Amino acid sequence: MIQILSLLMSVSLVSFIEYILPPILYIIVFPGLIVVLLMLFFMIWLERKVAAKTQLRFGPLYVSKRFGGVIQTVADLIRFSFQEFIIPAGADVFAYIQAPGLLMAFGLLPLIFIPVGPYYANIFPANYSLLIVVPLIIITPIYVILLGWASDNKFSFVGSMREAFLVISYEIPLILSILSMILLYGSVNAINGVSFQIGRGIPGIVLNPIAAFLFLVVMIRTTGRFPFEISEAESEVVMGPYTEYSALFFGIGMSLPYIELYSFSLLFSVLFLGGWWPIVPSAAAASGVVGGLLLPGLVVFIKALIVMAFLVFLRAVYPRYRIDQAITVGWDQAVYLGFAAVALSMALVWSGLV
Amino acid sequence: MSAPQDRTATANLTYDELAGLKADRELVLLIGPAHPGSGHMKIKVWMDGDIIQRVDPDIGFVHRTTEKLSENRLYIKAIPIVERVMLPDTINANLAYVIALERLLGIEPTPRAQYLRTLTSEINRITSHLYGIGLYGIFLGSSTVYMWAFADREPLIDLIEEISGARITYSYIIPGGVRWDLPAGFKERAETVLQYMEARLKDYGKIWVRNPVVMDRTEGVGVVSKSDAIRLGITGPNLRASGVDYDTRRAKPYAAYPNLDFEVPTFSEGDCYARLLQRVEEIEQSIRIIRQVLKDIPDGRIISDDIYSKMNPLQKRMYEMKHRVMFPAYMASMRPAAGRSTASVEAGRGEIFFYLVSNGDKVPFRFRWVTPSFLNLPFFTHVMVGQHLADLPAIYGSSDYFPPEADR
Amino acid sequence: MGGGADGVAYFGNLETVSKKAVSFLKKQGYVKSMINWGDKFSLWPVHLMTSCCGTEFAAASGPRFDLERLGFLPFGGPRQTNLIVIEGTTTLKMARSVRIVWEQMPAPKWVIAMGACAMDGGIFYDSYNTVPAKDIVPIDIFLAGCPPRPEALARAVVMLQESIVKNRPPAADIQVTAAPATPGPKDVVEAVSK
Amino acid sequence: MTAASRVITGITFTTDEAKGIFEVEASDGAHLLDLATRLKAAGFDHCLSVTAEDLGDRLAVLWHISSYTNRELSGMNAQIRLVVSKSDNVEVPTLTGIWESANFLERETYEMFGVVFKGHPDMRRLLLPDDFTGKWPMRKDFPLKKTPWRVQK
């Protein structure tokens, strides 16, 4: 508080707006809440539409016929918002109500620490961004387990247990994959990683394809895409942890995987797809909001959209794995791949090739 | 896990007592009937961790008492009833009942009617197998296969609709023959559909049958050995996937099958993947049979002389004009001589068994039928034990169990 | 802690507050029409196959008929859905499940009785094990046919959508009387003699 | 009716091939078990149907059997028939020990006809609800009338 007051006294109003605006822009508008919401609507619609096209049919259409039913998710959201909210008799009420909110909060938190432009360093402490993002990404499943525990439903419980097992088995591959990129870029600052890629002119996916592949697999697993849609497997455990949730809380629960998908995809495009390349802002432009945040951010966002579209398309191709098979992959092949990725990075760094 | 009372109840127990509590490890799941992976039945599953210890299928949710109803209705009125029980597979239910009835009546259908029966039965077998493959897709989480299978059922349903005039419930086969002749140009249209089906089977191979995830999920899961299959009385494609070379079309010949050249595919593995391949192979064989039937179909009447002579002049004229059998009044007042008969027919899911008893009345004295899904019930009690919970839908889907058919 | 008994969460009486807020919102005309629009294009039927019309229901969500065009998405759990399609006969065993699932669903909820059996028994009218669907749950749309073609189901869904837009409330709950659930010969004789 | 007879491993079947009837009659429970054992040894390896017929004052219990492996026998739907006097709970020996596939079929016959199969591992209702109060719906004295039914919530 004192800091802000002293700041107010020391700087003029214009420079104060310049100081306060970018963080608000970053959190509220882009890549924050508003874009997340729009992305959510678009992605859920795209998933249904892409699957429908693969399956020789139309998918959502009549809700807005001219635009291919693109506002279908809005209709679903309105319906969910005004439906009766049921708390099951056996549920632990406090946990039952707070879990979806916390889930949403922790799902959105990693977005703050993923830089989408060079200007980002001016707003937030970016020096340790990767170190902060990884635990934040891993923390959300704890609240998924809380959902299942609070619901007092056997299918929720089984689904939560599945989620717990899977999270544990895919943590090491995720950390190894990011570690190999940290080794390669020589920094835990993601902005430095992007500068590294732009400077060498080679994206991370070419430098270390093993780590990229591994990250992709962990991304599919964590966001519950096919073939790893195991904790919500409909024909086995109904809706998994979300079985008892109705109305808006179910909407929150179901949108969480897409938010996770969004933060993972942003991270993927920053780490492996060259970030805001080909837009390379000059030093002067990089200190401005438009040149340093919005334009590079748009590029990252488009790259992330392509990654997300690829991942939602997997639904149309693959059935789901059994849980023990998925766990075996996580503890066995994925860990070895992770070590291979680290070894590759070390070899590249030591040999001085990059 | 659940309510606070439970925790206080176990709070006074010692560690040993807690460790000895089987409830710690054991979980009883009630799956169904409003569960996405259950169909019209309740499956009670006792689990130790993730491993299924015991399964008790609670069926009868669609028990519509067809035997009792048929024993109180005219003979001809049992045809719609048996059809509605086996909705993906109506022609075969219809055929099995009519064969049993014809044996009671002592009527022999004409050769052309026999070929038409075979034709519709095989088209229906393909739609039934596609239905099974599609639902298997849902059980394993692939909605694409479900949609594709239901899309590819439609041209075949159109074909049979063209012959019989109905979409699902045809009531096409009547004692002495069939009700409609082939429409003009049917053979060419059927050939188009068959070629389309063959092309689609290759697509299924790409996305479903040789999909690595499907193979991981199904190979070595739910294995039924040859001796077990015989001991448990499993029937149909599931039996043949376990290596038993038995097909009712061969063993108890009916319709035009003795004149046709076809193979009975078998697999020796007996796992879910073999049962999936078995259905795909049987679709190929059915396509082969349909081609032969369309090539070899003899000319002549589609209704036997016994029934034709009982038609009135208007009906006879209608038959000559449109090659269509209007129901003769005789059908409504059939009184077979006292006696008994049995009939077996190979339906899409296995052998339908009929046992009819007449005491000379206008309604059957005893109407007994056993459907293939009912005979496949041991899949729940025997095959699922020792598998993972996630294998339950995999085995269920591979057995192509259809609850309304089992409950009758 | 206990759930439904007092319904008190830690920040005031959540249930009353939310109910008041929702009822206030629902009284506003434009909000009401927006809710109706949302309900219209978001009819999710619960996965409850009561009988053999389920095959035609499945075909209706298949590619040729594709009811997802209307926002009609078959879904697994009852808590997230708002529509029951009773597909054909309901037997004594299934009737209880239908009632339980109907009560599990959040309001507002609708019911389509599909097929002749769900209307008055169809060809199984005098069976000893069936119950007419109208005696179990309140029904909004009756759909004739045995089984109805998928187009007919599409028509029923469109009719339901129209009635939602016209602001008709879902059918009121029926009184489920505690008559003998499974009459044996004695009950039948008594019923007939009356 | 052209009834003939056919002999398989010393057991004489009453046969009507045109109607697909191959019947052997058991005189009592012990004879039934003996017959079943011999038929199993002859190659009849599975049970197609278990049912009963209401003959007024008696019940005829029927086991339909066939063969998957023996080519000669697989064309037959053979039936074993045991006639017992009718009462509320008729008792006959179970054949699940010989043909395991008779398990569910015998349970169905129990709930439909009131035939209790002695020695059956799991003699419970199968298709009807547990609280179904009517007795033995498939017997002829169970009337079939439309009644105004309600379901209890």
Side-chain angles (χ1 to χ4, degrees):
Chain A
M1 203 65 195
I2 298 163
Q3 272 180 335
I4 293 176
L5 280 175
S6 59
L7 231 150
L8 267 175
M9 282 182 278
S10 63
V11 299
S12 69
L13 194 64
V14 176
S15 60
F16 173 70
I17 290 173
E18 270 182 7
Y19 181 77
I20 200 77
L21 198 61
I24 292 175
L25 188 78
Y26 194 85
I27 294 169
I28 306 286
V29 183
F30 178 80
L33 296 172
I34 291 176
V35 172
V36 164
L37 203 65
L38 290 176
M39 182 280 311
L40 209 61
F41 286 152
F42 179 70
M43 229 52 223
I44 294 174
W45 169 81
L46 186 75
E47 175 162 22
R48 286 170 74 172
K49 204 74 182 172
V50 165
K53 288 289 173 200
T54 322
Q55 295 160 0
L56 320 170
R57 59 197 178 91
F58 286 108
L61 181 65
Y62 282 108
V63 61
S64 63
K65 209 172 171 187
R66 196 172 296 169
F67 304 107
V70 75
I71 51 173
Q72 175 65 50
T73 323
V74 181
D76 289 338
L77 178 83
I78 291 173
R79 196 258 291 179
F80 273 131
S81 308
F82 291 94
Q83 244 180 340
E84 183 185 1
F85 177 57
I86 298 169
I87 300 175
D92 184 338
V93 180
F94 189 54
Y96 186 83
I97 292 173
Q98 71 167 349
L102 286 169
L103 195 57
M104 194 72 172
F106 280 98
L108 287 168
L109 217 48
L111 287 175
I112 300 177
F113 298 95
I114 301 169
V116 293
Y119 187 78
Y120 170 85
N122 298 0
I123 333 173
F124 292 108
N127 289 344
Y128 301 103
S129 52
L130 285 178
L131 281 191
I132 300 168
V133 164
V134 172
L136 282 178
I137 280 177
I138 291 171
I139 211 166
T140 47
I142 291 172
Y143 293 95
V144 176
I145 296 164
L146 185 63
L147 288 177
W149 188 86
S151 296
D152 189 26
N153 179 319
K154 283 177 184 171
F155 292 114
S156 298
F157 185 65
V158 174
S160 298
M161 285 294 117
R162 288 179 167 200
E163 181 77 17
F165 278 120
L166 285 168
V167 166
I168 294 168
S169 53
Y170 279 86
E171 267 173 13
I172 296 174
L174 173 67
I175 291 167
L176 285 177
S177 162
I178 292 180
L179 180 69
S180 60
M181 296 327 278
I182 291 173
L183 283 174
L184 195 60
Y185 300 147
S187 164
V188 289
N189 185 345
I191 295 177
N192 290 356
V194 177
S195 320
F196 183 94
Q197 293 175 59
I198 293 173
R200 302 294 190 285
I202 313 170
I205 193 166
V206 180
L207 287 173
N208 196 338
I210 304 175
F213 174 73
L214 199 58
F215 192 88
L216 207 63
V217 170
V218 178
M219 185 152 104
I220 296 168
R221 201 327 285 154
T222 311
T223 55
R225 304 284 96 204
F226 281 87
F228 291 108
E229 195 239 29
I230 290 167
S231 56
E232 292 138 42
E234 210 182 13
S235 60
E236 292 154 28
V237 289
V238 195
M239 290 311 297
Y242 311 108
T243 305
E244 286 290 340
Y245 278 88
S246 56
L248 202 53
F249 279 21
F250 174 74
I252 292 174
M254 280 321 282
S255 57
L256 180 86
Y258 294 91
I259 296 170
E260 281 183 337
L261 186 63
Y262 182 55
S263 49
F264 264 95
S265 303
L266 285 180
L267 194 58
F268 188 81
S269 41
V270 165
L271 277 182
F272 295 103
L273 298 181
W276 39 91
W277 183 86
I279 288 186
V280 188
S282 61
S287 61
V289 175
V290 175
L293 190 58
L294 285 184
L295 280 181
L298 199 64
V299 175
V300 176
F301 182 68
I302 289 168
K303 285 178 182 173
L305 269 187
I306 293 168
V307 174
M308 282 192 278
F310 167 69
L311 287 197
V312 296
F313 175 68
L314 289 178
R315 170 179 286 270
V317 182
Y318 284 113
R320 67 175 75 86
Y321 271 118
R322 205 168 60 215
I323 171 126
D324 56 323
Q325 291 166 341
I327 290 176
T328 311
V329 170
W331 282 116
D332 198 4
Q333 287 96 324
V335 172
Y336 295 139
L337 267 184
F339 285 128
V342 174
L344 180 62
S345 285
M346 295 201 305
L348 283 175
V349 172
W350 281 338
S351 63
L353 282 175
V354 289
Chain B
M1 158 225 167
S2 59
Q5 304 92 285
D6 293 351
R7 263 177 269 136
T8 50
T10 53
N12 300 329
L13 295 176
T14 63
Y15 176 78
D16 286 347
E17 279 169 333
L18 271 173
L21 263 184
K22 217 165 171 231
D24 272 9
R25 295 172 55 81
E26 199 172 63
L27 183 66
V28 184
L29 279 183
L30 293 174
I31 300 179
H35 185 283
S38 75
H40 328 45
M41 67 187 299
K42 180 152 77 187
I43 314 168
K44 198 172 181 183
V45 186
W46 284 262
M47 295 198 310
D48 182 0
D50 199 36
I51 307 293
I52 295 171
Q53 298 295 314
R54 189 151 78 83
V55 181
D56 182 17
D58 182 4
I59 64 170
F61 281 85
V62 206
H63 174 55
R64 286 170 295 184
T65 68
T66 50
E67 292 187 12
K68 185 77 176 176
L69 291 177
S70 304
E71 285 177 17
N72 287 277
R73 301 209 181 152
L74 300 177
Y75 276 95
I76 199 73
K77 286 188 179 174
I79 291 178
I81 291 183
V82 297
E83 279 187 340
R84 265 137 194 93
V85 166
M86 300 184 61
L87 214 56
D89 209 7
T90 48
I91 283 283
N92 286 311
N94 187 345
L95 179 58
Y97 173 64
V98 168
I99 287 177
L101 185 53
E102 277 173 349
R103 285 182 180 168
L104 265 187
L105 290 163
I107 303 177
E108 190 70 26
T110 59
R112 187 173 177 83
Q114 295 279 37
Y115 270 80
L116 284 174
R117 286 176 179 191
T118 310
L119 172 71
T120 46
S121 164
E122 290 302 321
I123 296 176
N124 220 210
R125 192 184 314 282
I126 299 178
T127 59
S128 166
H129 282 339
L130 282 176
Y131 185 89
I133 291 171
L135 284 193
Y136 198 22
I138 282 285
F139 278 119
L140 288 188
S142 173
S143 50
T144 301
V145 171
Y146 165 80
M147 291 297 175
W148 281 16
F150 273 75
D152 296 339
R153 274 178 85 215
E154 297 293 340
L156 292 154
I157 287 176
D158 281 355
L159 269 192
I160 206 164
E161 187 174 352
E162 214 174 309
I163 304 178
S164 69
R167 185 182 143 80
I168 294 284
T169 46
Y170 313 108
S171 300
Y172 178 60
I173 299 168
I174 52 172
V178 294
R179 279 173 54 209
W180 301 77
D181 208 338
L182 285 185
F186 179 83
K187 287 181 187 177
E188 292 74 33
R189 287 194 292 277
E191 184 55 35
T192 319
V193 172
L194 294 183
Q195 280 171 6
Y196 168 76
M197 199 57 231
E198 279 173 338
R200 288 295 283 171
L201 280 181
K202 292 196 182 89
D203 293 347
Y204 283 100
K206 279 176 204 153
I207 202 167
W208 180 243
V209 180
R210 286 192 298 282
N211 189 322
V213 182
V214 176
M215 290 169 84
D216 277 358
R217 280 300 300 273
T218 53
E219 274 181 331
V221 171
V223 178
V224 189
S225 69
K226 186 173 177 179
S227 59
D228 276 353
I230 295 169
R231 181 172 62 87
L232 299 170
I234 285 163
T235 183
N238 302 331
L239 178 75
R240 294 191 280 278
S242 293
V244 182
D245 185 14
Y246 173 88
D247 190 317
T248 317
R249 292 174 288 180
R250 278 272 168 76
K252 300 162 187 168
Y254 60 93
Y257 289 110
N259 311 329
L260 296 170
D261 173 34
F262 65 99
E263 282 168 23
V264 179
T266 56
F267 285 86
S268 56
E269 291 87 356
D271 55 3
C272 292
Y273 193 56
R275 288 192 280 276
L276 174 63
L277 289 177
Q278 176 76 29
R279 292 197 162 74
V280 176
E281 296 256 318
E282 289 197 5
I283 290 177
E284 282 168 6
Q285 287 302 319
S286 291
I287 291 174
R288 188 175 156 192
I289 293 175
I290 293 170
R291 287 219 169 97
Q292 281 181 50
V293 167
L294 288 174
K295 194 160 69 71
D296 299 345
I297 187 164
D299 292 331
R301 281 217 184 103
I302 57 166
I303 193 84
S304 73
D305 292 341
D306 290 352
I307 305 290
Y308 188 75
S309 62
K310 285 172 179 132
M311 290 184 185
N312 64 28
L314 173 73
Q315 286 170 332
K316 280 182 181 166
R317 212 166 64 237
M318 186 64 94
Y319 176 78
E320 298 304 334
M321 274 165 57
K322 291 189 175 174
H323 291 282
R324 158 192 177 183
V325 179
M326 293 171 84
F327 270 99
Y330 164 74
M331 291 281 179
S333 61
M334 268 186 302
R335 284 170 193 263
R340 294 171 295 169
S341 72
T342 67
S344 282
V345 157
E346 181 75 23
R349 291 171 175 74
E351 183 172 351
I352 310 179
F353 170 74
F354 260 96
Y355 172 65
L356 282 183
V357 181
S358 163
N359 59 355
D361 206 350
K362 62 185 177 182
V363 298
F365 175 73
R366 182 79 187 93
F367 178 100
R368 167 68 176 167
W369 68 313
V370 178
T371 44
S373 285
F374 191 66
L375 294 174
N376 281 334
L377 258 180
F379 264 93
F380 293 93
T381 49
H382 288 78
V383 182
M384 284 174 185
V385 174
Q387 304 281 352
H388 295 273
L389 173 66
D391 288 334
L392 191 144
I395 298 169
Y396 184 176
S398 77
S399 73
D400 201 0
Y401 182 84
F402 186 57
E405 181 183 304
D407 296 351
R408 286 160 287 147
Chain C
M1 230 165 272
D6 46 6
V8 177
Y10 289 96
F11 37 90
N13 194 331
L14 179 87
E15 216 173 324
T16 15
V17 169
S18 58
K19 267 182 188 166
K20 270 181 190 167
V22 167
S23 64
F24 170 77
L25 278 178
K26 277 183 178 173
K27 273 175 200 157
Q28 313 301 312
Y30 55 92
V31 178
K32 185 69 195 164
S33 55
M34 187 185 76
I35 297 171
N36 284 342
W37 178 81
D39 284 340
K40 177 185 173 187
F41 286 110
S42 181
L43 288 169
W44 288 14
V46 63
H47 182 108
L48 176 75
M49 299 288 160
T50 65
S51 212
C52 58
C53 289
T55 59
E56 288 299 76
F57 178 81
S61 48
R64 178 175 281 189
F65 306 101
D66 190 21
L67 290 194
E68 205 187 342
R69 284 176 300 165
L70 302 166
F72 182 90
L73 180 71
F75 207 72
R79 297 278 192 217
Q80 296 89 30
T81 50
N82 60 352
L83 174 67
I84 298 184
V85 181
I86 295 180
E87 296 113 346
T89 330
T90 35
T91 62
L92 288 174
K93 263 186 183 179
M94 189 59 95
R96 279 160 214 175
S97 298
V98 171
R99 182 74 199 176
I100 289 169
V101 168
W102 186 83
E103 284 174 1
Q104 278 176 339
M105 280 169 32
K109 49 198 165 187
W110 292 270
V111 182
I112 294 177
M114 180 183 181
C117 301
M119 292 169 76
D120 62 350
I123 63 169
F124 303 104
Y125 62 93
D126 50 2
S127 161
Y128 54 83
N129 199 29
T130 58
V131 185
K134 66 178 190 304
D135 288 353
I136 311 164
V137 286
I139 290 172
D140 297 271
I141 305 276
F142 286 98
L143 170 57
C146 190
R149 291 177 66 100
E151 297 97 315
L153 181 60
R155 176 78 189 122
V157 173
V158 171
M159 276 168 71
L160 185 57
Q161 286 185 340
E162 282 167 2
S163 92
I164 290 170
V165 169
K166 283 175 190 161
N167 216 351
R168 284 196 201 121
D173 195 4
I174 50 155
Q175 191 63 39
V176 182
T177 51
T182 52
K186 206 178 147 202
D187 307 316
V188 174
V189 169
E190 278 171 11
V192 169
S193 62
K194 280 173 196 168
Chain D
M1 194 189 286
T2 54
S5 62
R6 188 168 160 189
V7 180
I8 297 166
T9 59
I11 302 168
T12 312
F13 279 84
T14 319
T15 305
D16 188 349
E17 286 217 30
K19 294 186 174 172
I21 296 286
F22 302 87
E23 188 181 72
V24 57
E25 184 110 17
S27 54
D28 57 4
H31 186 210
L32 173 78
L33 285 172
D34 174 50
L35 266 181
T37 319
R38 279 157 67 195
L39 285 172
K40 173 86 185 269
F44 285 102
D45 50 22
H46 70 285
C47 199
L48 264 177
S49 152
V50 179
T51 187
E53 278 175 48
D54 190 349
L55 304 174
D57 53 346
R58 290 165 305 145
L59 271 183
V61 186
L62 292 153
W63 286 264
H64 287 94
I65 51 176
S66 188
S67 175
Y68 282 147
T69 44
N70 191 325
R71 293 270 165 143
E72 270 181 58
L73 302 179
S74 64
M76 300 165 58
N77 291 330
Q79 67 193 51
I80 313 173
R81 184 185 169 96
L82 174 68
V83 180
V84 287
S85 63
K86 190 165 136 185
S87 63
D88 203 13
N89 280 312
V90 182
E91 287 201 344
V92 298
T94 177
L95 295 189
T96 42
I98 295 156
W99 290 294
E100 208 178 323
S101 39
N103 189 331
F104 289 105
L105 296 158
E106 288 189 352
R107 276 177 71 181
E108 192 201 356
T109 310
Y110 159 69
E111 72 176 346
M112 293 297 165
F113 284 95
V115 180
V116 178
F117 291 89
K118 267 189 299 182
H120 189 283
D122 192 15
M123 199 83 265
R124 285 179 295 137
R125 281 193 192 282
L126 183 65
L127 297 169
L128 293 171
D130 291 335
D131 55 353
F132 191 82
T133 52
K135 284 275 187 187
W136 322 135
M138 282 302 290
R139 288 191 184 179
K140 290 288 176 194
D141 52 10
F142 188 94
L144 200 56
K145 284 278 189 285
K146 191 170 167 63
T147 45
W149 287 343
R150 295 285 186 273
V151 65
Q152 198 163 357
K153 181 180 160 184

